Amino acid sequence: MKHYFLVIASCLLFVSCDKKSKVEKAVEEIPVQMNLFRFEQAFFETTPQTLPEVQAEFPDFFPEGTPDQVWIEKLQNPQWRELYAEVEKKYKNFNAKQTEIEDVFKHIKYYFPTVQPPKIYTAIGEMDYNNKVIYANDKLIIALELFLGSKHKFYVDFPEYISQNFEERQMMPEVAASFAIGILPPPSDKTLLAEMIYRGKELYIKDILLTENYTDAEKIGYTPLQQAWSEENEAYLWSYFIENKLLYSADAKLGNRFINLAPFSKFYLEIDNESPGRIGCWVGWQIVRSFMKNNKVSVQDMIKMNANELFEKSKYKPKKNE
Protein backbone atom coordinates (compact mmCIF):
# COMPACT_ATOMS: atom_id res chain seq x y z
CA MET A 1 0.00 0.00 0.00
CA LYS A 2 2.86 2.37 0.89
CA HIS A 3 4.48 1.61 -2.47
CA TYR A 4 1.17 2.36 -4.23
CA PHE A 5 0.94 5.82 -2.66
CA LEU A 6 4.56 6.55 -3.57
CA VAL A 7 3.80 5.70 -7.20
CA ILE A 8 0.71 7.96 -7.21
CA ALA A 9 2.71 10.79 -5.62
CA SER A 10 5.46 10.40 -8.20
CA CYS A 11 2.93 10.52 -11.04
CA LEU A 12 1.32 13.66 -9.66
CA LEU A 13 4.74 15.28 -9.32
CA PHE A 14 5.60 14.34 -12.89
CA VAL A 15 2.34 15.79 -14.21
CA SER A 16 2.94 19.01 -12.26
CA CYS A 17 6.52 19.34 -13.52
CA ASP A 18 5.43 18.52 -17.07
CA LYS A 19 2.74 21.22 -16.95
CA LYS A 20 5.29 23.73 -15.72
CA SER A 21 7.79 22.69 -18.37
CA LYS A 22 5.22 23.29 -21.14
CA VAL A 23 4.90 26.89 -20.04
CA GLU A 24 8.65 27.29 -19.70
CA LYS A 25 9.23 25.69 -23.09
CA ALA A 26 6.79 28.11 -24.65
CA VAL A 27 8.50 31.00 -22.85
CA GLU A 28 11.90 29.91 -24.14
CA GLU A 29 10.66 30.10 -27.73
CA ILE A 30 9.60 33.74 -27.41
CA PRO A 31 12.19 36.00 -29.05
CA VAL A 32 13.21 38.91 -26.82
CA GLN A 33 16.32 40.96 -27.39
CA MET A 34 16.72 44.16 -25.41
CA ASN A 35 19.14 47.02 -25.95
CA LEU A 36 21.40 47.92 -23.03
CA PHE A 37 22.70 51.43 -22.30
CA ARG A 38 25.27 51.97 -19.52
CA PHE A 39 24.61 55.58 -18.49
CA GLU A 40 26.84 55.47 -15.39
CA GLN A 41 29.80 54.29 -17.45
CA ALA A 42 29.23 56.94 -20.11
CA PHE A 43 28.90 59.66 -17.47
CA PHE A 44 31.79 58.81 -15.16
CA GLU A 45 34.16 58.01 -18.01
CA THR A 46 33.59 61.36 -19.70
CA THR A 47 35.38 64.67 -19.14
CA PRO A 48 34.02 68.21 -18.77
CA GLN A 49 34.97 68.73 -22.40
CA THR A 50 33.07 65.70 -23.71
CA LEU A 51 30.09 66.03 -21.32
CA PRO A 52 27.91 67.57 -24.07
CA GLU A 53 28.23 64.32 -26.05
CA VAL A 54 26.86 62.32 -23.09
CA GLN A 55 24.07 64.86 -22.62
CA ALA A 56 23.13 64.47 -26.27
CA GLU A 57 23.09 60.66 -26.00
CA PHE A 58 21.13 60.54 -22.70
CA PRO A 59 18.93 63.67 -22.69
CA ASP A 60 16.40 62.21 -20.23
CA PHE A 61 19.09 61.97 -17.53
CA PHE A 62 19.83 65.69 -17.63
CA PRO A 63 16.84 67.78 -16.45
CA GLU A 64 16.40 71.07 -18.26
CA GLY A 65 17.62 74.13 -16.41
CA THR A 66 20.37 72.34 -14.48
CA PRO A 67 23.70 74.13 -15.06
CA ASP A 68 26.53 72.06 -16.53
CA GLN A 69 28.65 72.93 -13.51
CA VAL A 70 26.41 70.72 -11.36
CA TRP A 71 27.22 67.71 -13.53
CA ILE A 72 30.94 68.56 -13.70
CA GLU A 73 31.12 68.76 -9.89
CA LYS A 74 29.36 65.41 -9.60
CA LEU A 75 31.69 63.92 -12.20
CA GLN A 76 34.74 65.04 -10.20
CA ASN A 77 33.37 64.42 -6.69
CA PRO A 78 35.54 61.78 -4.87
CA GLN A 79 32.55 60.14 -3.14
CA TRP A 80 30.62 59.72 -6.38
CA ARG A 81 33.73 58.37 -8.07
CA GLU A 82 34.25 55.88 -5.24
CA LEU A 83 30.64 54.74 -5.59
CA TYR A 84 31.13 54.35 -9.33
CA ALA A 85 34.30 52.30 -8.72
CA GLU A 86 32.39 49.95 -6.40
CA VAL A 87 29.59 49.52 -8.92
CA GLU A 88 32.14 48.78 -11.64
CA LYS A 89 33.75 46.08 -9.51
CA LYS A 90 30.46 44.20 -9.42
CA TYR A 91 28.70 45.18 -12.65
CA LYS A 92 31.36 46.21 -15.16
CA ASN A 93 30.05 43.36 -17.31
CA PHE A 94 26.25 43.33 -17.27
CA ASN A 95 25.72 40.58 -19.85
CA ALA A 96 24.46 37.94 -17.40
CA LYS A 97 21.99 40.37 -15.85
CA GLN A 98 20.79 41.47 -19.28
CA THR A 99 20.03 37.83 -20.09
CA GLU A 100 18.05 37.48 -16.85
CA ILE A 101 16.07 40.64 -17.60
CA GLU A 102 15.31 39.34 -21.08
CA ASP A 103 14.06 36.12 -19.48
CA VAL A 104 11.69 38.14 -17.27
CA PHE A 105 10.37 39.89 -20.37
CA LYS A 106 9.94 36.59 -22.19
CA HIS A 107 7.59 35.63 -19.37
CA ILE A 108 5.90 39.01 -19.66
CA LYS A 109 5.37 38.48 -23.41
CA TYR A 110 3.91 35.02 -22.71
CA TYR A 111 1.26 36.38 -20.32
CA PHE A 112 0.92 39.87 -21.83
CA PRO A 113 1.61 39.46 -25.57
CA THR A 114 1.09 43.11 -26.51
CA VAL A 115 3.85 44.40 -24.22
CA GLN A 116 6.92 45.69 -26.04
CA PRO A 117 10.17 45.15 -24.12
CA PRO A 118 11.81 48.43 -23.10
CA LYS A 119 15.41 49.56 -23.43
CA ILE A 120 17.56 48.79 -20.39
CA TYR A 121 19.41 51.68 -18.75
CA THR A 122 21.81 51.20 -15.85
CA ALA A 123 22.59 54.19 -13.67
CA ILE A 124 23.86 55.34 -10.27
CA GLY A 125 21.40 57.42 -8.30
CA GLU A 126 20.86 58.91 -4.86
CA MET A 127 20.27 55.62 -3.01
CA ASP A 128 16.50 56.02 -3.27
CA TYR A 129 15.46 52.54 -2.09
CA ASN A 130 11.84 53.23 -3.06
CA ASN A 131 12.90 53.44 -6.72
CA LYS A 132 15.49 50.72 -7.20
CA VAL A 133 14.06 49.89 -10.63
CA ILE A 134 11.84 52.19 -12.67
CA TYR A 135 9.87 50.99 -15.69
CA ALA A 136 8.32 53.86 -17.59
CA ASN A 137 7.32 54.11 -21.24
CA ASP A 138 10.13 52.49 -23.23
CA LYS A 139 12.78 52.55 -20.48
CA LEU A 140 13.76 50.20 -17.68
CA ILE A 141 16.13 52.09 -15.38
CA ILE A 142 18.14 50.14 -12.80
CA ALA A 143 19.90 51.96 -9.94
CA LEU A 144 22.97 49.75 -9.52
CA GLU A 145 24.14 51.43 -6.31
CA LEU A 146 21.33 49.58 -4.50
CA PHE A 147 22.43 46.05 -5.45
CA LEU A 148 25.97 45.85 -4.05
CA GLY A 149 25.24 43.39 -1.23
CA SER A 150 23.49 44.03 2.09
CA LYS A 151 26.75 44.22 4.08
CA HIS A 152 28.43 46.74 1.80
CA LYS A 153 30.14 49.66 3.57
CA PHE A 154 27.94 52.17 1.76
CA TYR A 155 24.86 50.82 3.54
CA VAL A 156 25.98 51.13 7.17
CA ASP A 157 23.55 54.00 7.85
CA PHE A 158 20.51 52.08 6.56
CA PRO A 159 18.32 50.05 8.95
CA GLU A 160 18.78 46.32 8.46
CA TYR A 161 15.17 45.79 7.36
CA ILE A 162 15.92 48.02 4.38
CA SER A 163 19.53 47.06 3.58
CA GLN A 164 18.73 43.31 3.67
CA ASN A 165 17.29 43.74 0.18
CA PHE A 166 20.28 45.55 -1.33
CA GLU A 167 21.36 42.23 -2.80
CA GLU A 168 22.11 41.28 -6.40
CA ARG A 169 19.41 38.59 -6.14
CA GLN A 170 16.80 41.30 -5.55
CA MET A 171 17.31 42.84 -8.98
CA MET A 172 14.95 40.54 -10.90
CA PRO A 173 12.16 40.69 -8.27
CA GLU A 174 12.44 44.48 -8.51
CA VAL A 175 12.27 44.32 -12.32
CA ALA A 176 9.12 42.18 -12.06
CA ALA A 177 7.63 44.56 -9.46
CA SER A 178 8.28 47.60 -11.67
CA PHE A 179 6.25 45.94 -14.43
CA ALA A 180 3.46 44.84 -12.08
CA ILE A 181 3.02 48.32 -10.63
CA GLY A 182 2.55 49.70 -14.12
CA ILE A 183 -0.30 47.36 -15.07
CA LEU A 184 -2.21 46.99 -11.80
CA PRO A 185 -5.32 49.13 -11.30
CA PRO A 186 -5.18 51.00 -7.95
CA PRO A 187 -6.94 49.43 -4.94
CA SER A 188 -10.72 49.43 -5.38
CA ASP A 189 -11.24 51.24 -2.06
CA LYS A 190 -9.31 52.28 1.05
CA THR A 191 -9.95 49.18 3.13
CA LEU A 192 -7.15 47.01 4.44
CA LEU A 193 -8.46 44.09 2.36
CA ALA A 194 -8.28 46.11 -0.87
CA GLU A 195 -4.68 47.08 -0.14
CA MET A 196 -3.80 43.48 0.79
CA ILE A 197 -5.27 42.16 -2.47
CA TYR A 198 -3.52 44.86 -4.49
CA ARG A 199 -0.15 43.88 -3.01
CA GLY A 200 -1.04 40.22 -3.35
CA LYS A 201 -1.63 40.70 -7.08
CA GLU A 202 1.79 42.33 -7.41
CA LEU A 203 3.45 39.38 -5.68
CA TYR A 204 1.49 36.87 -7.76
CA ILE A 205 2.80 38.55 -10.90
CA LYS A 206 6.28 37.90 -9.53
CA ASP A 207 5.26 34.23 -9.18
CA ILE A 208 4.61 33.96 -12.91
CA LEU A 209 7.43 36.18 -14.18
CA LEU A 210 10.34 34.79 -12.16
CA THR A 211 11.84 31.35 -12.60
CA GLU A 212 11.64 28.66 -9.93
CA ASN A 213 15.17 29.65 -8.90
CA TYR A 214 13.63 32.48 -6.89
CA THR A 215 12.23 31.66 -3.46
CA ASP A 216 9.11 33.16 -1.93
CA ALA A 217 11.38 34.98 0.53
CA GLU A 218 13.25 36.64 -2.33
CA LYS A 219 10.05 37.60 -4.12
CA ILE A 220 8.69 39.54 -1.15
CA GLY A 221 12.07 40.62 0.21
CA TYR A 222 12.01 38.59 3.43
CA THR A 223 14.82 36.64 5.03
CA PRO A 224 14.30 32.86 5.06
CA LEU A 225 13.49 33.12 8.78
CA GLN A 226 10.86 35.80 8.15
CA GLN A 227 9.28 33.69 5.42
CA ALA A 228 9.25 30.64 7.71
CA TRP A 229 7.65 32.68 10.51
CA SER A 230 4.91 33.88 8.16
CA GLU A 231 4.11 30.35 6.98
CA GLU A 232 4.11 28.98 10.50
CA ASN A 233 1.79 31.70 11.83
CA GLU A 234 -0.48 32.15 8.80
CA ALA A 235 -3.64 30.87 10.48
CA TYR A 236 -3.06 32.97 13.58
CA LEU A 237 -2.43 36.08 11.49
CA TRP A 238 -5.68 35.50 9.64
CA SER A 239 -7.60 34.96 12.88
CA TYR A 240 -6.23 38.26 14.18
CA PHE A 241 -7.46 40.18 11.12
CA ILE A 242 -10.90 38.52 11.34
CA GLU A 243 -11.40 38.78 15.11
CA ASN A 244 -10.36 42.44 15.17
CA LYS A 245 -12.58 43.24 12.15
CA LEU A 246 -9.73 44.83 10.26
CA LEU A 247 -10.37 43.60 6.72
CA TYR A 248 -13.06 46.12 5.88
CA SER A 249 -11.64 48.92 7.98
CA ALA A 250 -10.41 52.06 6.22
CA ASP A 251 -8.34 53.21 9.19
CA ALA A 252 -5.32 54.96 7.64
CA LYS A 253 -3.05 53.64 10.41
CA LEU A 254 -3.44 50.06 9.16
CA GLY A 255 -1.14 50.74 6.19
CA ASN A 256 1.79 51.54 8.45
CA ARG A 257 0.95 48.60 10.69
CA PHE A 258 0.65 45.87 8.05
CA ILE A 259 1.40 47.08 4.50
CA ASN A 260 4.23 49.59 4.34
CA LEU A 261 7.95 48.89 4.61
CA ALA A 262 8.78 48.52 8.32
CA PRO A 263 11.07 46.53 10.65
CA PHE A 264 8.07 44.54 11.92
CA SER A 265 4.29 44.45 11.72
CA LYS A 266 2.31 46.02 14.55
CA PHE A 267 -0.20 43.74 16.22
CA TYR A 268 0.47 45.42 19.57
CA LEU A 269 1.27 41.96 20.93
CA GLU A 270 4.38 40.13 22.09
CA ILE A 271 4.84 38.68 18.60
CA ASP A 272 5.52 42.12 17.08
CA ASN A 273 9.32 41.90 17.28
CA GLU A 274 9.26 38.42 15.72
CA SER A 275 7.03 39.37 12.82
CA PRO A 276 8.34 40.77 9.51
CA GLY A 277 7.03 44.05 8.20
CA ARG A 278 4.39 44.13 5.44
CA ILE A 279 2.70 40.98 6.71
CA GLY A 280 -0.57 42.20 5.18
CA CYS A 281 1.08 42.02 1.75
CA TRP A 282 2.17 38.46 2.45
CA VAL A 283 -1.35 37.40 3.50
CA GLY A 284 -2.82 39.16 0.46
CA TRP A 285 -0.44 37.12 -1.68
CA GLN A 286 -1.77 33.88 -0.19
CA ILE A 287 -5.34 35.01 -0.87
CA VAL A 288 -4.56 35.71 -4.53
CA ARG A 289 -2.73 32.39 -4.85
CA SER A 290 -5.75 30.62 -3.36
CA PHE A 291 -8.04 32.41 -5.81
CA MET A 292 -5.94 31.42 -8.83
CA LYS A 293 -5.79 27.83 -7.59
CA ASN A 294 -9.57 27.57 -7.12
CA ASN A 295 -10.78 29.48 -10.18
CA LYS A 296 -10.17 29.19 -13.92
CA VAL A 297 -9.37 32.83 -14.58
CA SER A 298 -6.66 34.39 -16.73
CA VAL A 299 -4.03 36.58 -15.12
CA GLN A 300 -5.35 39.57 -17.07
CA ASP A 301 -8.88 39.05 -15.71
CA MET A 302 -7.62 38.47 -12.17
CA ILE A 303 -5.74 41.77 -12.26
CA LYS A 304 -8.95 43.67 -13.09
CA MET A 305 -11.05 42.01 -10.40
CA ASN A 306 -12.53 43.87 -7.47
CA ALA A 307 -10.84 42.93 -4.19
CA ASN A 308 -14.07 41.85 -2.48
CA GLU A 309 -15.11 39.57 -5.33
CA LEU A 310 -11.65 38.03 -5.57
CA PHE A 311 -11.57 37.42 -1.82
CA GLU A 312 -15.02 35.83 -1.75
CA LYS A 313 -14.11 33.45 -4.56
CA SER A 314 -10.65 32.64 -3.23
CA LYS A 315 -11.85 30.10 -0.63
CA TYR A 316 -8.92 31.24 1.44
CA LYS A 317 -8.87 29.55 4.83
CA PRO A 318 -5.45 28.76 6.28
CA LYS A 319 -5.23 25.76 8.57
CA LYS A 320 -3.68 25.98 12.01
CA ASN A 321 -0.48 24.04 12.53
CA GLU A 322 -0.92 21.12 14.86
Side-chain angles (χ1 to χ4, degrees), residues 43 96 109 155 196 220 278 322:
F43 180 78
K109 288 287 286 183
Y155 304 148
M196 289 168 65
I220 193 171
R278 298 175 296 132
E322 297 298 332

Side-chain angles (χ1 to χ4, degrees), residues 27-303:
V27 167
E28 288 174 4
E29 296 300 317
I30 297 173
V32 169
Q33 188 170 4
M34 302 169 71
N35 294 320
L36 172 65
F37 300 88
R38 304 297 305 272
F39 171 69
E40 81 288 351
Q41 290 180 346
F43 180 78
F44 285 102
E45 296 298 332
T46 195
T47 65
Q49 292 72 33
T50 56
L51 179 62
E53 297 174 16
V54 178
Q55 290 173 314
E57 185 179 356
F58 300 93
D60 292 337
F61 288 83
F62 296 92
E64 289 185 18
T66 305
D68 284 353
Q69 189 57 36
V70 171
W71 306 115
I72 292 172
E73 288 176 3
K74 181 175 181 178
L75 177 63
Q76 298 174 337
N77 182 290
Q79 291 179 319
W80 277 103
R81 297 210 65 84
E82 182 184 8
L83 178 56
Y84 171 61
E86 290 298 304
V87 168
E88 276 288 275
K89 283 181 187 177
K90 192 167 184 66
Y91 296 113
K92 183 177 180 65
N93 187 318
F94 202 71
N95 292 345
K97 288 295 163 202
Q98 180 177 354
T99 299
E100 287 187 60
I101 294 169
E102 289 173 344
D103 185 69
V104 172
F105 275 87
K106 284 184 178 184
H107 285 80
I108 290 173
K109 288 287 286 183
Y110 177 82
Y111 290 100
F112 306 91
T114 61
V115 172
Q116 295 302 312
K119 299 170 185 175
I120 305 167
Y121 288 83
T122 60
I124 296 175
E126 302 279 352
M127 298 241 178
D128 179 4
Y129 57 83
N130 289 313
N131 291 292
K132 295 162 79 176
V133 176
I134 299 172
Y135 179 24
N137 300 322
D138 64 341
K139 294 179 179 62
L140 181 75
I141 304 170
I142 301 172
L144 294 181
E145 81 278 8
L146 292 167
F147 298 99
L148 296 176
S150 61
K151 303 301 181 183
H152 196 280
K153 62 181 180 180
F154 290 152
Y155 304 148
V156 292
D157 293 330
F158 284 94
E160 186 176 354
Y161 75 94
I162 293 174
S163 64
Q164 73 184 35
N165 285 312
F166 291 171
E167 294 285 351
E168 179 180 345
R169 287 281 296 179
Q170 277 300 303
M171 192 178 295
M172 293 312 119
E174 290 288 346
V175 169
S178 70
F179 170 76
I181 291 168
I183 64 168
L184 284 174
S188 52
D189 55 53
K190 295 183 179 180
T191 63
L192 178 63
L193 177 64
E195 189 65 37
M196 289 168 65
I197 298 297
Y198 173 81
R199 302 302 180 108
K201 289 177 179 180
E202 177 190 330
L203 287 160
Y204 186 81
I205 290 173
K206 290 186 182 182
D207 279 339
I208 63 174
L209 298 187
L210 299 175
T211 67
E212 291 181 340
N213 293 331
Y214 284 90
T215 65
D216 283 358
E218 289 172 325
K219 291 172 188 174
I220 193 171
Y222 280 176
T223 65
L225 283 177
Q226 288 173 328
Q227 173 65 22
W229 186 94
S230 303
E231 292 174 358
E232 196 172 308
N233 292 279
E234 182 177 1
Y236 298 100
L237 298 171
W238 187 240
S239 294
Y240 179 89
F241 290 136
I242 298 296
E243 291 168 7
N244 289 275
K245 300 179 180 178
L246 298 182
L247 292 182
Y248 298 100
S249 171
D251 184 346
K253 295 178 182 178
L254 294 175
N256 286 330
R257 290 177 62 188
F258 302 115
I259 299 296
N260 301 335
L261 191 62
F264 52 82
S265 295
K266 300 174 182 67
F267 298 91
Y268 305 135
L269 299 171
E270 291 182 4
I271 64 168
D272 279 11
N273 289 332
E274 300 174 19
S275 69
R278 298 175 296 132
I279 199 65
C281 305
W282 188 89
V283 174
W285 188 14
Q286 311 318 309
I287 294 172
V288 175
R289 281 176 162 177
S290 180
F291 171 80
M292 293 302 285
K293 178 181 178 181
N294 291 309
N295 296 271
K296 291 184 178 181
V297 176
S298 70
V299 176
Q300 290 92 334
D301 288 339
M302 177 272 287
I303 286 171

